[in-house]
Amino acid sequence: MTAPRNERALPLPVGVTAALVAGAAMPLQGRVNGALAAETGSGLAAAVVSFGTGLILLTAVVVLTPVGRRGLREMPGHVRDGHFPWWYMLAGIGGAYFVLGQGLAVTLLGVALFTVANVAGQILSGIVADRIGFGPGGPRPVSTERFVGGMLALAGVVWAVWPTLSATGVSWATIGPMLLPLTAGVLTGFQQAMNGTQTRFYGNPLPATFFNFAVGSAALVTAFLVALPFTGAPAPLPGMWWMYTGGLLGIVFIAAGAVLVRWFGVLVTSLGLIAGQLAGSLAMDLVAPVAGARIDLATVLGTALALVAVVIASAPRAGLRFR
């Protein structure tokens, strides 16, 4: 059985910084994909283009680099030797499900409710995946620091979106649709664990990221073709180059998660990415606000609380264990 590569520990400050940077790429991707959806009149078409451009870029890198070609050659051997099940390579379905959830549920729930439900799912899956040892680092106990960090992160997200949440309100009609972002968040945590397990044996995140985009693109194209008779053809693609950078930003997010989950577990990695998303959204509203965007004190304090949650959850001590 081949031993995993890259076993040298990753310093905690480096990992947390990488998670924050990668998380900040997601609101930027959302802004790019949102603009593309507005131009084409189809959120599903924008998702297909985003995944498709990422897949084209990754295919070129995999084909042209020795490390990429080696990963493709070694994949059957890793599955045959039992390093990870073959269905781990279907982790990209989780990303496709998240994108579909955005298109279907955001219009019903609004961004605030969607974000809260999605983050709750990520925190839940992070705790469960770490506890049962689903990730590449093996079982991780639910210590006091990790539990408190997860709850503080959820509180920080609720606090950050509270101005929007209080304006729109929550009704019984929104409870059902909230299950979509909630389950998407659960899948995101397990997706990161599966990607991290693959990356541990490949020695780099390139093969796992490639398979994520390949499977996700196939799922989205299938959904697009099924919906096409009912929705009609989208408008022609625009000529602005920056509307096609969503795939590159997605690569940064997925690859970083695949690397970091090996060292810090699913929960801490998810919390770092969530904090990065809040900080990135806040930075965009400051630098390049869209129409109707505003920055409230609750948004700033909620983002700060999410950052504190990452520090607490990643504290390098065992703490008390919840049973």
Side-chain angles (χ1 to χ4, degrees), residues 131-235:
R131 183 65 184 86
I132 66 177
F134 189 79
R140 297 173 185 264
V142 185
S143 65
T144 303
E145 294 85 4
R146 295 167 66 82
F147 182 82
V148 171
M151 295 304 100
L152 283 180
L154 180 59
V157 172
V158 174
W159 197 359
V161 302
W162 185 253
T164 304
L165 203 60
S166 59
T168 57
V170 180
S171 65
W172 286 108
T174 63
I175 301 300
M178 283 180 69
L179 293 176
L180 193 55
L182 179 68
T183 52
V186 171
L187 288 178
T188 297
F190 285 100
Q191 177 190 13
Q192 291 174 350
M194 289 187 284
N195 289 339
T197 300
Q198 294 181 66
T199 298
R200 182 188 178 196
F201 288 97
Y202 289 130
N204 69 88
L206 184 56
T209 306
F210 170 77
F211 287 121
N212 267 250
F213 273 80
V215 172
S217 296
L220 287 171
V221 168
T222 301
F224 176 78
L225 293 177
V226 170
L228 189 59
F230 306 97
T231 60

